[in-house]
Amino acid sequence: MSVRWVRCLTAVALSAGLLQSCGADAVPIGHWAYQVPRATCPPDLVNATPCQDSLDRFLMARLEAEGLRPAPEADRATLCRRLYVVLTGLPPDPGALEAFEEDDSPDPVATLTDRLLASPRFGERWGRHWLDVVRYADSVTLRGFPFRQAWRYRDYVIASWNADRPFDAFVREQVAGDLYPAETLEDRRRGRVATTFWMLGDTNLEEQDKRQLELDVLDEQLDVLSKAFLAQTITCARCHDHKFDPVPARDYHALAGILSGMRPLVHANVSEWTEQPLPGTPAEEEAWAAAAQEVKRLEAALKDARSRGGAPGPSANDLPEDPDPHEPSVSDLETALALARAGARRPLAMTPADIGATNLPVLRRGNWRQPVEAVPRGVWTAAFETPFPECDPSDSGRRSLAAWLVDPENPLTARVWVNRIWHWVFGKGLVPSVDNFGTTGDHPSHPELLDTLAVEFMSDGWSSKRLIRRLVTSHAFRRSGDPADPAVAASLRADPGNRWLGRWQVRRVEAEVLRDSMLAVAGKLDLAGPPGSSFPEGLAADYGYVATEAWRSVYLPMFRNALPESLTAFDLADPGRVTGARERAIVAPQALFLLNHPFVLEQAAAAAEHVREAADPVGRLWRALLGRPPSPGERDTASAFLHREDLPPEMALAELAHALMGSVDFRNLH
């Protein structure tokens, strides 16, 4: 496929193959919009409609170059379930499925897409994707200490997706939201909560060399920053210049100097993470101040009462000889003090304190006792042609860092984000190594398409929802993945890895989708979610904790020592590291979980009870669980099973539901 550059936003000459994943025939780095190929979708294959979107034309041009033909469009039932699962992580109920099949509007896929993007379920689904990347957890492994305020960040992420917060603003808030001037109270609170991004690492708080602990935390923060936003392994340069990519140790320490202007820990024998008060309304601030004064008054009164011999409780021996009948007892004062302290308690956020400008010298082999040379605060110089703006001397420099990350001239951030969204929609990124765009990462399948989408994403206001809508309404998204179709079978033979996207790539759904789908078809899913924290306030450690709530999985406590059992069998993301792409293992415990676990058996029984009174229980069960009607053969087999003489009817229907929950069609997204 021949292409030419229409416009070039930036061109950076780099050494030794930086970002080799941009393709051998492309300039290594920079943003370009390419001439859109003159390819059309074969009218006999895709709704007799030519490819109107440049996305499809790029893909079709590559298929033509490879001598391949695309698969036809999937049937309505398959498309409906695909849209629901990709956009909300939940299956369509039978009524929604039937409505979509009967929709005679010009483009029912676009209509349903708009409705699902507006649903609060969208943010819960896509928020979980980002929480994987930022290693979200509700506790630290050491001693199982719970993160009491991490839930605020979880809810911030979900709300940002639902509000379609522009991605550049989303980045700025997480990097330096506490430093920006805010016009409203909501903005101030959101900015402070967003910086919990820095605080979620799994840290050895018992480390007695506190300077070493601080540098280890810095390294972990740089790891999540560089992988999440730049898809680069910058932390390889902590002890020496990067062996593969042009990241010198000097650049590592310049970046670390910016982050060293934060204080995420309060040191003690076992250090603790910092928590900062959230601002309130004038009325709230006044009430908190009054309650604080009342606490001081009651503490003094209680101290005085105890000094005069009044012990807690109504014991007569402890009272003065002539007690004042109008004077409150010690027990009364203790009760009043507890209430006053509760009223004075301000809401907190798990967020770092900014301690101002600091510089970090280059450290020989990463040893803080061996400084080599001082370096000013800065960024990764190889990835940016224009000089990094001088950091504000009044703060750590995180505002400058955030501005650099989302500068339109930055060649990586938009491209990395577009690739992540492509991965979450199609199951594999245009660059499959979504967290690594460096020389050890994968080459992109369609580099020109990735560049063009990144440029158009920025010019479209950095709107993630609009990009997702563009992807899921494309012909590429609508293609069939049914191997019984001759075109799909031909694609499987010619392109087994589906590199050229000639068909839909059938894949297993994530652990959360399995669990939430079981609860949904059983009629037990609690869509309200927790009213704040998802675990008891007084919980001292996460060991042995078992969540029994029927909330969506994103709201379950992600305790590093007690991950939800209903999720761990199916490749739940490791909350100790950046996970842009989850593993998809096939191991025996998965089958055993679906066959024997009480959770699955309970949901199967409830799902059977849910459809028992339907006019067609078998058809209803198939539509609820698999998103399609049963085939004639499946219906005959199910009917014969339900009429077995050795099983009571209610047990037979529950066993049938159980079998469907363990089926390939329930586990996979077709």
Side-chain angles (χ1 to χ4, degrees):
M1 177 179 64
S2 63
V3 297
R4 65 182 178 85
W5 299 306
V6 174
R7 63 191 178 105
C8 178
L9 298 183
T10 183
V12 183
L14 297 177
S15 62
L18 173 63
L19 298 186
Q20 189 176 2
S21 62
C22 288
D25 58 349
V27 177
I29 201 166
H31 282 306
W32 300 276
Y34 286 86
Q35 179 184 23
V36 178
R38 294 180 178 178
T40 58
C41 297
D44 60 318
L45 292 179
V46 186
N47 278 349
T49 304
C51 293
Q52 299 297 331
D53 192 283
S54 61
L55 181 159
D56 282 306
R57 283 187 279 163
F58 270 113
L59 297 179
M60 277 304 307
R62 190 61 198 232
L63 286 170
E64 291 173 2
E66 298 293 328
L68 300 173
R69 287 169 64 82
E73 187 169 296
D75 61 78
R76 283 281 185 97
T78 298
L79 281 177
C80 184
R81 183 171 185 263
R82 190 182 295 174
L83 281 168
Y84 265 85
V85 171
V86 167
L87 295 180
T88 72
L90 295 172
D93 63 60
L97 186 62
E98 292 165 6
F100 183 75
E101 290 177 317
E102 297 169 3
D103 188 346
D104 59 358
S105 64
D107 192 349
V109 169
T111 302
L112 180 58
T113 295
D114 291 338
R115 183 162 65 82
L116 296 179
L117 287 173
S119 166
R121 311 286 83 82
F122 168 77
E124 293 166 347
R125 165 66 157 157
W126 283 74
R128 180 65 258 176
H129 291 321
W130 182 245
L131 295 177
D132 283 2
V133 174
V134 299
R135 80 280 188 234
Y136 177 83
D138 286 292
S139 70
V140 67
T141 299
L142 176 71
R143 303 191 187 185
F145 294 140
F147 291 156
R148 294 176 293 273
Q149 308 298 335
W151 63 271
R152 296 186 191 276
Y153 177 79
R154 175 203 67 202
D155 288 359
Y156 156 79
V157 169
I158 293 171
S160 295
W161 278 103
N162 278 331
D164 194 21
R165 190 128 188 93
F167 183 65
D168 57 340
F170 189 57
V171 172
R172 284 194 296 267
E173 287 172 350
Q174 293 176 87
V175 174
D178 57 324
L179 301 180
Y180 287 105
E183 295 182 358
T184 67
L185 176 63
E186 180 185 358
D187 291 341
R188 291 174 61 200
R189 285 177 167 171
R190 185 178 60 245
R192 186 156 293 181
V193 169
T195 57
T196 303
F197 166 84
W198 297 112
M199 306 289 291
L200 297 167
D202 198 13
T203 306
N204 178 18
L205 301 173
E206 285 187 329
E207 169 65 62
Q208 294 303 298
D209 184 339
K210 298 305 178 182
R211 184 54 180 160
Q212 184 64 43
L213 173 58
E214 291 170 353
L215 293 174
D216 290 344
V217 170
L218 271 178
D219 188 68
E220 194 275 338
Q221 291 171 333
L222 273 176
D223 185 61
V224 69
L225 173 79
S226 61
K227 289 179 179 176
F229 299 128
L230 303 174
Q232 292 296 313
T233 56
I234 287 176
T235 54
C236 294
R238 179 180 184 178
C239 302
H240 51 72
D241 291 347
H242 201 297
K243 298 298 185 184
F244 305 104
D245 296 326
V247 186
R250 182 183 178 88
D251 282 1
Y252 172 95
H253 289 89
L255 263 170
I258 294 176
L259 304 192
S260 66
M262 294 186 292
R263 187 180 68 232
L265 298 175
V266 177
H267 290 311
N269 179 46
V270 178
S271 299
E272 295 185 8
W273 52 92
T274 57
E275 293 179 344
Q276 305 292 326
L278 289 174
T281 63
E284 287 173 331
E285 295 286 353
E286 184 178 345
W288 291 328
Q293 289 298 319
E294 181 66 3
V295 167
K296 291 180 180 179
R297 187 189 71 79
L298 289 170
E299 286 176 340
L302 182 60
K303 181 179 179 181
D304 181 63
R306 285 173 174 166
S307 68
R308 290 187 288 106
S315 172
N317 294 330
D318 295 326
L319 295 175
E321 293 183 4
D322 298 311
D324 184 346
H326 301 292
E327 185 174 323
S329 67
V330 169
S331 60
D332 291 338
L333 289 170
E334 288 175 335
T335 301
L337 180 59
L339 292 173
R341 282 175 174 164
R345 189 179 303 141
R346 302 173 63 101
L348 301 173
M350 185 181 179
T351 184
D354 196 87
I355 58 176
T358 63
N359 289 322
L360 188 69
V362 174
L363 305 175
R364 180 177 289 111
R365 299 186 180 277
N367 187 340
W368 68 267
R369 296 180 178 86
Q370 298 185 41
V372 177
E373 60 172 324
V375 293
R377 293 170 294 165
V379 295
W380 179 32
T381 55
F384 211 49
E385 187 177 43
T386 57
F388 180 64
E390 203 171 302
C391 292
D392 190 328
S394 66
D395 63 42
S396 60
R398 283 184 286 128
R399 282 188 296 178
S400 298
L401 173 60
W404 174 77
L405 285 169
V406 296
D407 191 316
E409 294 295 308
N410 186 315
L412 282 181
T413 307
R415 182 188 278 141
V416 169
W417 186 242
V418 166
N419 190 62
R420 289 195 188 282
I421 287 181
W422 189 284
H423 166 80
W424 292 326
V425 169
F426 289 101
K428 183 171 68 174
L430 293 171
V431 180
S433 56
V434 293
D435 297 325
N436 185 1
F437 273 33
T439 55
T440 59
D442 298 319
H443 290 255
S445 55
H446 301 76
E448 301 88 357
L449 173 58
L450 179 58
D451 278 337
T452 299
L453 287 176
V455 171
E456 293 173 353
F457 171 66
M458 289 187 291
S459 64
D460 199 25
W462 300 77
S463 169
S464 297
K465 275 192 178 182
R466 286 200 286 271
L467 175 60
I468 293 167
R469 186 186 191 278
R470 184 177 179 185
L471 267 56
V472 301
T473 57
S474 68
H475 289 303
F477 183 84
R478 304 183 196 206
R479 287 175 187 148
S480 173
D482 183 1
D485 185 279
V488 175
S491 176
L492 282 164
R493 290 191 298 271
D495 181 21
N498 201 27
R499 180 174 176 82
W500 311 123
L501 294 148
R503 65 183 186 277
W504 175 258
Q505 184 67 47
V506 177
R507 64 182 188 266
R508 194 183 69 212
V509 298
E510 297 91 335
E512 293 89 344
V513 176
L514 280 176
R515 176 186 173 275
D516 294 355
S517 296
M518 290 180 189
L519 287 168
V521 298
K524 292 184 176 182
L525 185 61
D526 180 2
L527 292 175
S533 178
S534 53
F535 56 88
E537 183 179 354
L539 188 71
D542 66 2
Y543 293 106
Y545 187 89
V546 177
T548 58
E549 296 82 4
W551 301 321
R552 290 207 66 176
S553 299
V554 70
Y555 294 118
L556 297 180
M558 295 301 292
F559 285 145
R560 286 184 164 120
N561 296 305
L563 293 171
E565 190 178 29
S566 57
L567 303 178
T568 51
F570 294 94
D571 302 312
L572 183 69
D574 179 358
R577 63 186 182 90
V578 174
T579 306
R582 292 189 183 184
E583 300 291 334
R584 292 198 181 109
I586 300 175
V587 292
Q590 295 167 351
L592 295 173
F593 177 88
L594 293 171
L595 187 64
N596 300 316
H597 200 280
F599 173 81
V600 180
L601 298 177
E602 290 169 11
Q603 308 321 313
E609 193 62 34
H610 212 52
V611 304
R612 188 177 306 283
E613 301 302 322
D616 177 15
V618 171
R620 193 79 175 174
L621 199 60
W622 247 258
R623 283 181 173 272
L625 283 162
L626 307 185
R628 63 173 176 82
S631 69
E634 290 171 335
R635 183 175 287 278
D636 291 344
T637 301
S639 180
F641 182 78
L642 292 177
H643 290 88
R644 286 175 51 174
E645 295 182 356
D646 59 336
L647 277 178
E650 64 275 5
M651 185 178 294
L653 191 58
E655 286 297 322
L656 183 60
H658 185 201
L660 293 184
M661 285 183 178
S663 68
V664 171
D665 283 356
F666 184 73
R667 300 195 310 271
N668 285 353
L669 182 62
H670 293 274

